[in-house]
Amino acid sequence: MRFLVVDDSSTMRRIIINTLNKIGYTDIVEAGNGREGIDRVSEGPVDLVITDWNMPEMNGIEFIRALRTMDGKDKLPVLMVTTNAAKDDIVEALRAGVNNYVVKPFTPETIKEKIDAVLAH
Amino acid sequence: MIETLRACTIDVFGTMVGTALAEGTPLDGDALRPQSNVVGQIGFGGSRSGLVVFYATFAGAGFITRMLLGLDEQTEPSKPEVADAIGEITNMIAGSFRTRMATDGDAWAISIPTVTMGSDFYMTPLTDGRRTMLPFRMQDHEIFVELVITTAKVRRA
């Protein structure tokens, strides 16, 4: 299973990648913003996307909206990891096409639970 | 508000850095101005507005960076790695603070983080607001989180 991690913070990408490694996932590609994320998805197969919200050039919401218009990507599982945790934020993310939502700070157990829930759908 | 910020800081360090923080006594105003080397800062706005400021020494910031990135004790993180890590820690503390302060119908927002690094500078906000410094001890390192609240309430349309 190949993951795509999209975050402008190299620290947060490393944290998420380390977390994925801990829970048994090692096939991971990275992108620094939504536009790069679209490039990675176009370049090869991706099975699950983990994305930040606030990013330069193309933010997480714009990225997901663009992703959902791509051929065959309307059902690609997307998990959003962000500090934006207000009810309105979550509603906006879900409307944009996010499948599940993780609020920072998070534990590896939380990430695993959310990934399992997304994949079970 | 200061109790909320204290709880957020402890939660972020316990969850993301894997370190329990020992708490000191909060100090108001200019009673304590830490001579820190790495300072993260984020503005917030809602029914109140102000700043969340995070202070660490180079050694403390390096420790946090190693813990966040999963590096061993011998590895010295680069300055960009330290700046990014402290920006992310500040973002998580301020983001959690924003989430806990927000209530229905009362939107809160935070700015993107800025990080200042150096060996001879002093941070002081240009505001008449109320300032409270939260001191913490993280193993051998002292860190500080400051809440600056602007005096005037934000006007709503």
Side-chain angles (χ1 to χ4, degrees), chain B residues 12-151:
Chain B
V12 166
F13 271 79
T15 307
M16 302 304 293
V17 186
T19 306
L21 296 179
E23 299 172 56
T25 305
L27 293 164
D28 285 331
D30 275 326
L32 176 63
R33 303 308 306 165
Q35 295 294 317
S36 300
N37 309 117
V38 187
V39 179
Q41 187 168 282
I42 287 188
F44 64 86
S47 57
R48 306 299 301 267
S49 62
L51 292 169
V52 171
V53 192
F54 178 86
Y55 301 81
T57 60
F58 279 130
F63 174 83
I64 292 166
T65 306
R66 280 194 293 275
M67 295 298 282
L68 282 176
L69 299 182
L71 305 175
D72 60 51
E73 278 183 40
Q74 282 70 44
T75 303
E76 197 62 42
S78 67
K79 282 188 177 177
E81 284 177 327
V82 171
D84 199 54
I86 296 306
E88 196 56 55
I89 278 287
T90 311
N91 186 46
M92 282 189 274
I93 293 170
S96 297
F97 176 72
R98 170 216 179 198
T99 299
R100 294 187 197 192
M101 292 307 299
T103 56
D104 282 347
D106 188 9
W108 283 63
I110 58 172
S111 69
I112 58 172
T114 58
V115 176
T116 305
M117 297 174 71
S119 55
D120 187 19
F121 67 92
Y122 182 88
M123 301 292 288
T124 183
L126 296 174
T127 171
D128 293 330
R130 182 179 172 192
R131 296 151 61 181
T132 307
M133 186 72 78
L134 293 169
F136 296 96
R137 177 159 283 278
M138 173 190 64
Q139 298 195 2
D140 294 334
H141 310 284
E142 281 190 316
I143 60 170
F144 303 88
V145 179
E146 185 176 33
L147 179 64
V148 182
I149 304 168
T150 53
T151 309

Side-chain angles (χ1 to χ4, degrees), chain A residues 57-100:
Chain A
E57 289 198 46
M58 179 185 278
N59 70 33
I61 295 295
E62 293 164 339
F63 165 57
I64 294 157
R65 287 188 182 131
L67 187 68
R68 292 306 185 211
T69 66
M70 294 171 71
D71 275 351
K73 305 304 178 194
D74 56 324
K75 297 279 194 291
L76 177 62
V78 177
L79 190 60
M80 180 165 266
V81 178
T82 178
T83 55
N84 294 2
K87 192 170 72 180
D88 290 349
D89 294 331
I90 295 171
V91 169
E92 184 180 355
L94 293 173
R95 282 185 180 152
V98 166
N99 299 97
N100 217 324

